[in-house]
Amino acid sequence: MSEFVALTENEIYERMVATILDHRLPPGTKLIEEKLASAFGVSRTRIRPVLVRLANEQIVTLTPNRGAMVAQPTEKEAREVFEVRRMIEPTLIECFIASATADDITTLTQCINDEEAARAIGDMRRAIRLSGDFHLHIANASDHQTLGRILRELVSRTSLILMTYSDNHVQSKAEATSCGCQEHRALLDAIRLRDPREGARLMREHLALLEQQLQFKETVEDAPDLLSLFGGTGATGT
């Protein structure tokens, strides 16, 4: 006999965030409560708090009488996100370098290797997510809880920005592979050398270059089917 266990609100939240940041739900996608409830096998009252939480983190936009949609950052918002990241990430990497372990370096190296592999086959969606993981590991291991919490929100918003305004998907494989990963490897070298000043300088340059590469023109993608994305996740059989 099978038992079915409904997902918690936090589990629904985590799955929606993962799907958005993995770019299976493009910016501007309408998030219809009834379809989400059906996909997750829960009532609409379980979906609403999740959408409010995502809206508070600016991953989703809630509009009266229009409902929810995946946030679609403007050019102004994108530039503000990078401005704030340039303010806080140099400090985060300085804190990280002071306490980084061999395991931390191994984790960052694997992030870079996986990102390079994704870029090499043109999987820019996965590459963007892995690039974010590189920055998040530095933040999480920096032991600066306040800045780390701010950066976690900004990385989520950056992922949406890159998906909306990045032209990397039309670059050649060689060009796409060489850019962001080389900058991450330079940051990793500064970490290995325990050079916080160089790490901070490289981080500012890396973020500035990432912003410069944005192409501020919107792309239109077909709306995904929510049931196919989340269907079958509403309960687990044991």
Coordinates of all heavy atoms in Angstrom, one line a residue, residues 65-158:
N65 N -5.1 42.0 -9.3 CA -6.0 41.7 -10.4 C -5.2 41.1 -11.6 O -5.9 40.7 -12.6 CB -6.7 42.9 -10.9 CG -7.5 43.6 -9.8 OD1 -8.1 42.9 -9.0 ND2 -7.5 44.9 -9.7
R66 N -3.9 40.9 -11.5 CA -3.2 40.2 -12.6 C -2.5 39.0 -12.1 O -2.0 38.2 -13.0 CB -2.2 41.2 -13.2 CG -2.9 42.4 -13.9 CD -1.9 43.3 -14.6 NE -1.1 42.6 -15.6 CZ -0.1 43.1 -16.3 NH1 0.3 44.3 -16.0 NH2 0.6 42.4 -17.2
G67 N -2.3 38.8 -10.8 CA -1.7 37.6 -10.3 C -0.1 37.7 -10.3 O 0.4 38.8 -10.2
A68 N 0.5 36.6 -10.3 CA 1.9 36.5 -10.2 C 2.6 36.1 -11.5 O 2.1 35.4 -12.3 CB 2.3 35.4 -9.1
M69 N 3.8 36.6 -11.6 CA 4.7 36.2 -12.7 C 6.1 36.2 -12.3 O 6.5 36.9 -11.3 CB 4.5 37.1 -14.0 CG 5.0 38.5 -13.8 SD 4.8 39.5 -15.4 CE 3.1 39.3 -15.7
V70 N 7.0 35.4 -13.0 CA 8.4 35.5 -12.7 C 8.9 36.9 -13.0 O 8.6 37.5 -14.0 CB 9.2 34.4 -13.6 CG1 10.7 34.5 -13.3 CG2 8.6 33.0 -13.3
A71 N 9.7 37.4 -12.1 CA 10.1 38.8 -12.2 C 10.9 39.0 -13.5 O 11.7 38.2 -13.9 CB 11.0 39.2 -11.0
Q72 N 10.7 40.2 -14.0 CA 11.4 40.6 -15.3 C 12.1 41.9 -15.0 O 11.6 43.0 -15.2 CB 10.4 40.8 -16.4 CG 11.0 40.7 -17.8 CD 9.9 40.3 -18.8 OE1 8.7 40.4 -18.5 NE2 10.3 39.9 -20.0
P73 N 13.4 41.8 -14.5 CA 14.1 43.0 -14.1 C 14.3 44.0 -15.2 O 14.6 43.7 -16.4 CB 15.5 42.5 -13.6 CG 15.6 41.1 -14.3 CD 14.2 40.6 -14.4
T74 N 14.2 45.3 -14.9 CA 14.5 46.4 -15.8 C 16.0 46.6 -15.9 O 16.7 46.1 -15.1 CB 13.8 47.7 -15.4 OG1 14.3 48.1 -14.1 CG2 12.3 47.4 -15.2
E75 N 16.4 47.5 -16.9 CA 17.8 47.8 -17.0 C 18.2 48.5 -15.7 O 19.3 48.3 -15.2 CB 18.0 48.7 -18.2 CG 19.4 49.2 -18.3 CD 19.7 50.1 -19.5 OE1 18.8 50.2 -20.4 OE2 20.8 50.7 -19.6
K76 N 17.4 49.4 -15.2 CA 17.8 50.2 -13.9 C 18.0 49.2 -12.8 O 19.0 49.3 -12.0 CB 16.7 51.2 -13.6 CG 17.0 52.1 -12.4 CD 15.9 53.1 -12.2 CE 16.2 54.1 -11.0 NZ 16.3 53.4 -9.7
E77 N 17.1 48.3 -12.6 CA 17.2 47.3 -11.6 C 18.4 46.4 -11.7 O 19.1 46.1 -10.8 CB 15.9 46.4 -11.5 CG 14.7 47.1 -11.0 CD 13.4 46.3 -11.3 OE1 13.4 45.4 -12.1 OE2 12.4 46.6 -10.6
A78 N 18.7 46.0 -13.0 CA 19.9 45.2 -13.2 C 21.2 46.0 -12.8 O 22.1 45.4 -12.2 CB 20.0 44.9 -14.7
R79 N 21.3 47.2 -13.2 CA 22.5 48.0 -12.9 C 22.6 48.2 -11.4 O 23.7 48.2 -10.8 CB 22.4 49.4 -13.6 CG 22.5 49.2 -15.1 CD 23.0 50.5 -15.8 NE 23.0 50.3 -17.3 CZ 24.0 49.7 -18.0 NH1 25.0 49.2 -17.3 NH2 23.9 49.7 -19.3
E80 N 21.4 48.4 -10.7 CA 21.5 48.5 -9.2 C 22.0 47.3 -8.6 O 22.8 47.3 -7.6 CB 20.1 48.9 -8.7 CG 19.6 50.3 -9.0 CD 18.2 50.6 -8.6 OE1 17.5 49.6 -8.2 OE2 17.8 51.7 -8.7
V81 N 21.6 46.1 -9.1 CA 22.0 44.8 -8.5 C 23.5 44.7 -8.6 O 24.2 44.3 -7.6 CB 21.3 43.6 -9.2 CG1 22.0 42.3 -8.9 CG2 19.8 43.6 -8.8
F82 N 24.1 45.0 -9.8 CA 25.5 44.9 -9.9 C 26.3 45.9 -9.1 O 27.4 45.7 -8.6 CB 25.9 45.0 -11.4 CG 25.7 43.7 -12.1 CD1 24.6 43.4 -12.9 CD2 26.7 42.7 -12.0 CE1 24.4 42.2 -13.5 CE2 26.5 41.4 -12.6 CZ 25.4 41.2 -13.4
E83 N 25.7 47.1 -9.0 CA 26.3 48.2 -8.1 C 26.4 47.7 -6.7 O 27.5 47.8 -6.1 CB 25.5 49.4 -8.2 CG 26.1 50.6 -7.3 CD 25.2 51.8 -7.4 OE1 24.0 51.7 -7.9 OE2 25.6 52.9 -6.9
V84 N 25.4 47.1 -6.2 CA 25.4 46.6 -4.8 C 26.3 45.4 -4.6 O 27.1 45.3 -3.7 CB 24.0 46.2 -4.3 CG1 24.0 45.6 -2.9 CG2 23.1 47.5 -4.3
R85 N 26.3 44.5 -5.6 CA 27.3 43.4 -5.6 C 28.7 43.8 -5.5 O 29.5 43.2 -4.8 CB 27.0 42.4 -6.7 CG 25.7 41.6 -6.6 CD 25.6 40.5 -7.6 NE 26.6 39.5 -7.5 CZ 26.7 38.4 -8.1 NH1 25.7 38.1 -9.0 NH2 27.6 37.5 -8.0
R86 N 29.0 44.9 -6.3 CA 30.4 45.4 -6.3 C 30.8 46.0 -4.9 O 31.9 46.1 -4.5 CB 30.6 46.4 -7.4 CG 30.7 45.8 -8.8 CD 31.3 46.8 -9.8 NE 30.4 48.0 -10.0 CZ 29.4 48.0 -10.8 NH1 29.1 47.0 -11.5 NH2 28.6 49.1 -10.9
M87 N 29.7 46.5 -4.2 CA 30.0 47.0 -2.9 C 30.3 45.9 -1.8 O 31.1 46.1 -1.0 CB 28.8 47.8 -2.4 CG 28.5 49.1 -3.1 SD 27.0 49.9 -2.5 CE 26.8 51.3 -3.6
I88 N 29.5 44.8 -1.9 CA 29.6 43.8 -0.8 C 30.5 42.6 -1.1 O 31.1 42.0 -0.2 CB 28.2 43.3 -0.4 CG1 27.6 42.5 -1.5 CG2 27.3 44.5 -0.1 CD1 26.3 41.9 -1.1
E89 N 30.7 42.2 -2.4 CA 31.4 41.0 -2.6 C 32.9 41.1 -2.4 O 33.6 40.1 -2.0 CB 31.1 40.4 -4.0 CG 29.7 39.8 -4.1 CD 29.5 38.8 -5.2 OE1 30.2 37.8 -5.2 OE2 28.8 39.2 -6.1
P90 N 33.5 42.3 -2.6 CA 35.0 42.4 -2.2 C 35.2 42.1 -0.7 O 36.1 41.4 -0.4 CB 35.3 43.8 -2.6 CG 34.4 44.1 -3.8 CD 33.1 43.5 -3.4
T91 N 34.3 42.6 0.1 CA 34.4 42.3 1.5 C 34.2 40.8 1.8 O 34.9 40.2 2.6 CB 33.3 43.1 2.3 OG1 33.6 44.5 2.1 CG2 33.4 42.8 3.8
L92 N 33.2 40.2 1.1 CA 32.9 38.8 1.4 C 34.1 37.9 1.0 O 34.5 37.0 1.7 CB 31.7 38.4 0.6 CG 30.3 38.8 1.1 CD1 29.2 38.5 0.1 CD2 30.1 38.0 2.4
I93 N 34.8 38.2 -0.1 CA 35.9 37.4 -0.5 C 37.1 37.6 0.4 O 37.9 36.7 0.7 CB 36.3 37.6 -2.0 CG1 37.2 36.4 -2.5 CG2 37.0 38.9 -2.2 CD1 37.4 36.4 -3.9
E94 N 37.2 38.9 0.9 CA 38.3 39.1 1.9 C 38.1 38.3 3.2 O 39.0 37.7 3.7 CB 38.4 40.6 2.3 CG 39.0 41.4 1.2 CD 38.9 42.9 1.5 OE1 38.1 43.3 2.3 OE2 39.6 43.7 0.8
C95 N 36.8 38.2 3.7 CA 36.5 37.4 4.8 C 36.7 35.9 4.5 O 37.2 35.2 5.4 CB 35.0 37.7 5.2 SG 34.7 39.3 5.8
F96 N 36.3 35.5 3.3 CA 36.4 34.1 2.9 C 37.9 33.7 2.9 O 38.3 32.6 3.4 CB 35.8 33.9 1.6 CG 36.0 32.5 1.0 CD1 35.2 31.5 1.5 CD2 36.9 32.3 0.0 CE1 35.4 30.2 0.9 CE2 37.1 31.1 -0.6 CZ 36.3 30.0 -0.1
I97 N 38.8 34.5 2.3 CA 40.2 34.2 2.2 C 40.8 34.0 3.6 O 41.7 33.1 3.8 CB 40.9 35.3 1.4 CG1 40.6 35.1 -0.1 CG2 42.4 35.2 1.6 CD1 41.1 36.3 -0.9
A98 N 40.3 34.8 4.6 CA 40.9 34.7 5.9 C 40.7 33.3 6.6 O 41.4 32.9 7.5 CB 40.3 35.7 6.8
S99 N 39.6 32.6 6.1 CA 39.3 31.3 6.8 C 39.1 30.1 5.8 O 38.7 29.1 6.2 CB 38.0 31.5 7.6 OG 37.0 31.9 6.8
A100 N 39.4 30.3 4.5 CA 39.1 29.3 3.5 C 39.9 28.0 3.8 O 41.1 28.1 4.2 CB 39.4 29.8 2.1
T101 N 39.3 26.9 3.7 CA 39.9 25.6 3.9 C 40.2 24.9 2.6 O 39.8 25.3 1.5 CB 39.0 24.7 4.7 OG1 37.8 24.4 3.9 CG2 38.6 25.4 6.0
A102 N 40.9 23.8 2.7 CA 41.2 23.0 1.5 C 39.9 22.5 0.9 O 39.8 22.4 -0.4 CB 42.1 21.9 1.8
D103 N 39.0 22.1 1.7 CA 37.7 21.7 1.2 C 36.9 22.8 0.4 O 36.3 22.5 -0.6 CB 36.8 21.2 2.3 CG 37.2 19.8 2.9 OD1 38.0 19.1 2.2 OD2 36.8 19.4 4.0
D104 N 37.0 24.0 0.9 CA 36.4 25.2 0.2 C 37.0 25.3 -1.2 O 36.3 25.5 -2.2 CB 36.7 26.5 1.0 CG 35.8 26.5 2.3 OD1 34.7 26.0 2.2 OD2 36.3 27.1 3.3
I105 N 38.3 25.2 -1.3 CA 39.0 25.4 -2.5 C 38.6 24.3 -3.5 O 38.4 24.5 -4.7 CB 40.5 25.4 -2.3 CG1 40.9 26.7 -1.6 CG2 41.3 25.3 -3.7 CD1 42.4 26.9 -1.2
T106 N 38.5 23.0 -3.0 CA 38.1 21.9 -3.8 C 36.6 22.1 -4.3 O 36.4 21.9 -5.5 CB 38.1 20.6 -3.0 OG1 39.4 20.3 -2.6 CG2 37.6 19.4 -3.8
T107 N 35.8 22.7 -3.5 CA 34.4 22.9 -3.9 C 34.4 24.0 -5.0 O 33.6 23.8 -6.0 CB 33.5 23.4 -2.7 OG1 33.5 22.4 -1.7 CG2 32.1 23.8 -3.1
L108 N 35.1 25.1 -4.8 CA 35.2 26.1 -5.9 C 35.8 25.6 -7.2 O 35.3 26.0 -8.2 CB 36.0 27.3 -5.3 CG 35.3 28.1 -4.2 CD1 36.3 29.2 -3.7 CD2 34.0 28.6 -4.5
T109 N 36.8 24.8 -7.1 CA 37.4 24.2 -8.3 C 36.4 23.4 -9.0 O 36.3 23.4 -10.3 CB 38.6 23.3 -7.9 OG1 39.6 24.1 -7.2 CG2 39.3 22.7 -9.1
Q110 N 35.6 22.6 -8.3 CA 34.6 21.7 -9.0 C 33.5 22.6 -9.6 O 33.0 22.3 -10.7 CB 34.0 20.8 -7.9 CG 33.0 19.7 -8.6 CD 33.8 18.9 -9.6 OE1 34.8 18.3 -9.2 NE2 33.3 18.7 -10.8
C111 N 33.1 23.7 -8.9 CA 32.2 24.6 -9.5 C 32.6 25.1 -10.9 O 31.9 25.2 -11.9 CB 31.9 25.8 -8.6 SG 30.7 25.6 -7.3
I112 N 33.9 25.5 -10.9 CA 34.5 26.1 -12.2 C 34.5 25.0 -13.2 O 34.2 25.2 -14.4 CB 35.9 26.6 -11.9 CG1 35.8 27.8 -11.0 CG2 36.5 27.1 -13.2 CD1 37.2 28.3 -10.5
N113 N 35.0 23.8 -12.8 CA 35.1 22.7 -13.8 C 33.7 22.4 -14.4 O 33.6 22.2 -15.6 CB 35.7 21.4 -13.2 CG 37.1 21.6 -12.8 OD1 37.8 22.5 -13.3 ND2 37.6 20.8 -11.9
D114 N 32.7 22.3 -13.5 CA 31.3 22.0 -14.0 C 30.8 23.1 -14.9 O 30.1 22.9 -15.9 CB 30.4 21.8 -12.8 CG 30.7 20.5 -12.1 OD1 31.4 19.7 -12.6 OD2 30.2 20.4 -10.9
E115 N 31.1 24.4 -14.5 CA 30.7 25.5 -15.3 C 31.3 25.5 -16.7 O 30.7 25.7 -17.7 CB 31.0 26.9 -14.6 CG 30.5 28.1 -15.4 CD 31.0 29.4 -14.8 OE1 31.6 29.4 -13.6 OE2 30.8 30.4 -15.4
E116 N 32.6 25.2 -16.8 CA 33.3 25.1 -18.0 C 32.7 24.0 -18.9 O 32.5 24.2 -20.1 CB 34.8 24.8 -17.8 CG 35.6 26.0 -17.4 CD 37.1 25.7 -17.2 OE1 37.4 24.5 -17.0 OE2 37.9 26.6 -17.4
A117 N 32.4 22.9 -18.3 CA 31.8 21.8 -19.1 C 30.4 22.2 -19.6 O 30.1 21.9 -20.8 CB 31.6 20.5 -18.2
A118 N 29.6 22.9 -18.8 CA 28.3 23.4 -19.3 C 28.5 24.4 -20.4 O 27.8 24.3 -21.4 CB 27.6 24.0 -18.1
R119 N 29.4 25.3 -20.3 CA 29.7 26.3 -21.4 C 30.1 25.6 -22.6 O 29.8 26.0 -23.8 CB 30.7 27.4 -20.9 CG 30.1 28.3 -19.8 CD 31.2 29.3 -19.4 NE 30.7 30.2 -18.4 CZ 30.1 31.3 -18.6 NH1 29.8 31.7 -19.8 NH2 29.6 32.1 -17.6
A120 N 31.0 24.6 -22.5 CA 31.6 23.9 -23.7 C 30.5 23.3 -24.5 O 30.7 23.2 -25.8 CB 32.6 22.9 -23.2
I121 N 29.4 22.8 -23.9 CA 28.3 22.2 -24.7 C 27.2 23.2 -25.0 O 26.1 22.8 -25.5 CB 27.8 20.9 -24.0 CG1 27.2 21.3 -22.7 CG2 28.9 19.9 -23.9 CD1 26.5 20.1 -22.0
G122 N 27.4 24.5 -24.6 CA 26.4 25.5 -24.9 C 25.2 25.5 -23.9 O 24.2 26.1 -24.2
D123 N 25.4 24.8 -22.8 CA 24.3 24.8 -21.8 C 24.5 26.0 -20.9 O 24.9 26.0 -19.7 CB 24.4 23.5 -21.0 CG 23.1 23.3 -20.1 OD1 22.3 24.3 -20.0 OD2 23.0 22.3 -19.5
M124 N 24.1 27.2 -21.4 CA 24.3 28.5 -20.7 C 23.4 28.6 -19.5 O 23.8 29.3 -18.5 CB 24.1 29.7 -21.6 CG 25.1 29.7 -22.8 SD 26.8 29.5 -22.3 CE 27.0 30.9 -21.2
R125 N 22.3 27.9 -19.5 CA 21.4 28.0 -18.3 C 22.1 27.4 -17.1 O 22.1 27.9 -16.0 CB 20.1 27.3 -18.6 CG 19.3 28.0 -19.7 CD 17.9 27.3 -20.0 NE 17.1 28.1 -20.9 CZ 15.9 27.9 -21.2 NH1 15.3 26.8 -20.6 NH2 15.2 28.7 -22.0
R126 N 22.6 26.2 -17.3 CA 23.3 25.5 -16.2 C 24.6 26.3 -15.8 O 24.9 26.4 -14.7 CB 23.7 24.1 -16.6 CG 24.3 23.2 -15.5 CD 24.3 21.8 -15.8 NE 24.8 21.0 -14.7 CZ 26.0 20.6 -14.5 NH1 26.9 20.8 -15.5 NH2 26.4 19.9 -13.5
A127 N 25.3 26.8 -16.8 CA 26.5 27.6 -16.5 C 26.2 28.8 -15.6 O 27.0 29.1 -14.7 CB 27.2 28.1 -17.8
I128 N 25.1 29.5 -15.9 CA 24.7 30.6 -15.1 C 24.5 30.2 -13.6 O 24.9 30.8 -12.7 CB 23.5 31.4 -15.7 CG1 23.9 32.1 -17.0 CG2 22.9 32.4 -14.7 CD1 22.7 32.7 -17.7
R129 N 23.7 29.1 -13.5 CA 23.5 28.6 -12.1 C 24.7 28.2 -11.4 O 24.9 28.5 -10.2 CB 22.5 27.4 -12.2 CG 22.2 26.8 -10.8 CD 21.2 25.7 -10.9 NE 21.6 24.6 -11.8 CZ 22.5 23.6 -11.4 NH1 23.0 23.7 -10.2 NH2 22.8 22.7 -12.3
L130 N 25.7 27.5 -12.1 CA 26.9 27.1 -11.5 C 27.8 28.3 -11.1 O 28.5 28.3 -10.1 CB 27.7 26.2 -12.4 CG 27.1 24.8 -12.5 CD1 27.6 24.1 -13.8 CD2 27.3 24.0 -11.3
S131 N 27.7 29.4 -12.0 CA 28.5 30.6 -11.7 C 27.9 31.2 -10.4 O 28.7 31.7 -9.5 CB 28.3 31.6 -12.8 OG 28.9 32.8 -12.5
G132 N 26.6 31.2 -10.2 CA 26.0 31.7 -9.0 C 26.5 30.9 -7.8 O 26.7 31.4 -6.7
D133 N 26.6 29.5 -8.0 CA 27.0 28.7 -6.9 C 28.4 29.0 -6.4 O 28.7 28.9 -5.2 CB 27.0 27.2 -7.3 CG 25.5 26.7 -7.5 OD1 24.6 27.3 -7.0 OD2 25.4 25.6 -8.1
F134 N 29.3 29.4 -7.3 CA 30.6 29.8 -7.0 C 30.6 31.0 -6.0 O 31.3 31.0 -5.0 CB 31.4 30.2 -8.3 CG 32.8 30.6 -8.1 CD1 33.9 29.7 -8.1 CD2 33.1 32.0 -7.9 CE1 35.2 30.1 -7.9 CE2 34.4 32.4 -7.7 CZ 35.4 31.5 -7.7
H135 N 29.8 32.0 -6.4 CA 29.7 33.2 -5.5 C 29.1 32.9 -4.2 O 29.4 33.4 -3.2 CB 29.0 34.3 -6.3 CG 29.8 34.9 -7.4 ND1 30.5 36.0 -7.3 CD2 30.0 34.4 -8.7 CE1 31.1 36.3 -8.5 NE2 30.8 35.4 -9.3
L136 N 28.0 32.0 -4.3 CA 27.3 31.7 -3.0 C 28.2 30.9 -2.0 O 28.0 31.1 -0.8 CB 26.0 30.9 -3.4 CG 24.9 31.7 -4.0 CD1 23.7 30.8 -4.3 CD2 24.4 32.8 -3.0
H137 N 29.0 30.1 -2.6 CA 29.9 29.3 -1.6 C 30.8 30.3 -0.9 O 31.1 30.1 0.3 CB 30.7 28.2 -2.4 CG 31.5 27.4 -1.4 ND1 31.0 26.4 -0.7 CD2 32.8 27.5 -1.0 CE1 31.9 25.9 0.1 NE2 33.0 26.5 -0.1
I138 N 31.4 31.2 -1.6 CA 32.2 32.2 -1.0 C 31.5 33.0 0.1 O 32.0 33.2 1.2 CB 32.8 33.2 -2.1 CG1 33.8 32.4 -3.0 CG2 33.5 34.4 -1.4 CD1 34.3 33.3 -4.1
A139 N 30.2 33.4 -0.2 CA 29.4 34.1 0.7 C 29.1 33.3 1.9 O 29.2 33.7 3.1 CB 28.2 34.6 0.1
N140 N 28.7 32.0 1.7 CA 28.3 31.2 2.8 C 29.4 30.8 3.7 O 29.2 30.6 4.9 CB 27.6 29.9 2.2 CG 26.3 30.1 1.6 OD1 25.6 31.1 1.9 ND2 25.9 29.3 0.6
A141 N 30.6 30.7 3.2 CA 31.8 30.3 4.0 C 32.5 31.5 4.5 O 33.6 31.4 5.2 CB 32.7 29.4 3.1
S142 N 32.1 32.7 4.2 CA 32.8 33.9 4.6 C 32.6 34.3 6.1 O 33.3 35.1 6.7 CB 32.3 35.1 3.8 OG 31.0 35.5 4.1
D143 N 31.5 33.7 6.7 CA 31.1 33.9 8.1 C 30.7 35.4 8.3 O 30.8 35.9 9.4 CB 32.3 33.6 9.0 CG 31.8 33.3 10.5 OD1 30.7 32.9 10.6 OD2 32.6 33.6 11.4
H144 N 30.2 36.0 7.3 CA 29.6 37.3 7.4 C 28.1 37.1 7.1 O 27.7 37.2 5.9 CB 30.2 38.3 6.4 CG 29.9 39.8 6.8 ND1 28.7 40.2 7.0 CD2 30.8 40.8 7.0 CE1 28.7 41.5 7.3 NE2 30.0 41.9 7.3
Q145 N 27.3 36.9 8.1 CA 25.9 36.5 7.9 C 25.1 37.5 7.2 O 24.2 37.2 6.3 CB 25.3 36.1 9.2 CG 25.9 34.8 9.8 CD 25.2 34.4 11.1 OE1 24.2 35.0 11.5 NE2 25.8 33.4 11.8
T146 N 25.3 38.8 7.6 CA 24.4 39.9 7.0 C 24.7 40.0 5.5 O 23.7 40.0 4.7 CB 24.7 41.2 7.8 OG1 24.4 41.0 9.2 CG2 23.8 42.3 7.2
L147 N 25.9 40.2 5.1 CA 26.2 40.4 3.7 C 25.9 39.1 2.9 O 25.5 39.1 1.8 CB 27.7 40.7 3.5 CG 28.1 42.1 4.0 CD1 29.6 42.4 3.7 CD2 27.2 43.2 3.4
G148 N 26.1 37.9 3.6 CA 25.8 36.7 2.9 C 24.4 36.6 2.6 O 24.0 36.1 1.5
R149 N 23.5 37.0 3.5 CA 22.1 36.9 3.3 C 21.7 37.9 2.2 O 20.8 37.5 1.3 CB 21.3 37.3 4.6 CG 19.8 37.2 4.5 CD 19.1 37.4 5.9 NE 19.4 38.7 6.4 CZ 20.2 39.0 7.4 NH1 20.8 38.0 8.0 NH2 20.3 40.2 7.9
I150 N 22.2 39.1 2.1 CA 21.9 40.0 1.1 C 22.4 39.4 -0.3 O 21.6 39.5 -1.3 CB 22.6 41.4 1.3 CG1 22.1 42.0 2.6 CG2 22.5 42.3 0.1 CD1 22.9 43.2 3.0
L151 N 23.5 38.8 -0.3 CA 24.0 38.3 -1.6 C 23.2 37.2 -2.1 O 23.0 37.0 -3.3 CB 25.5 37.8 -1.5 CG 26.1 37.4 -2.8 CD1 26.2 38.5 -3.8 CD2 27.4 36.7 -2.6
R152 N 22.7 36.3 -1.2 CA 21.8 35.2 -1.7 C 20.6 35.7 -2.5 O 20.2 35.2 -3.5 CB 21.4 34.4 -0.5 CG 22.4 33.4 0.0 CD 21.9 32.4 1.0 NE 21.7 33.1 2.3 CZ 22.6 33.2 3.2 NH1 23.9 32.9 3.0 NH2 22.3 33.8 4.4
E153 N 20.0 36.8 -2.0 CA 18.9 37.4 -2.8 C 19.4 38.0 -4.1 O 18.8 37.9 -5.2 CB 18.2 38.5 -2.0 CG 17.1 39.3 -2.7 CD 16.6 40.5 -2.0 OE1 16.4 40.3 -0.8 OE2 16.4 41.5 -2.6
L154 N 20.6 38.7 -4.1 CA 21.1 39.3 -5.3 C 21.5 38.3 -6.3 O 21.4 38.6 -7.5 CB 22.3 40.2 -4.9 CG 22.0 41.4 -4.1 CD1 23.3 42.2 -3.7 CD2 21.0 42.4 -4.8
V155 N 22.0 37.1 -5.9 CA 22.4 36.1 -6.9 C 21.2 35.6 -7.6 O 21.2 35.4 -8.8 CB 23.2 35.0 -6.2 CG1 23.3 33.7 -7.1 CG2 24.6 35.4 -5.8
S156 N 20.1 35.4 -6.8 CA 18.8 35.0 -7.5 C 18.4 36.0 -8.5 O 18.0 35.7 -9.6 CB 17.7 34.8 -6.4 OG 18.1 33.8 -5.5
R157 N 18.4 37.3 -8.2 CA 18.0 38.3 -9.1 C 19.0 38.4 -10.3 O 18.6 38.7 -11.4 CB 17.9 39.7 -8.4 CG 16.8 39.7 -7.3 CD 16.8 40.9 -6.5 NE 16.5 42.1 -7.3 CZ 16.6 43.4 -6.9 NH1 17.0 43.6 -5.6 NH2 16.3 44.4 -7.7
T158 N 20.3 38.2 -10.0 CA 21.3 38.2 -11.1 C 21.0 37.1 -12.1 O 21.2 37.3 -13.3 CB 22.7 38.0 -10.5 OG1 23.0 39.1 -9.6 CG2 23.8 38.0 -11.7

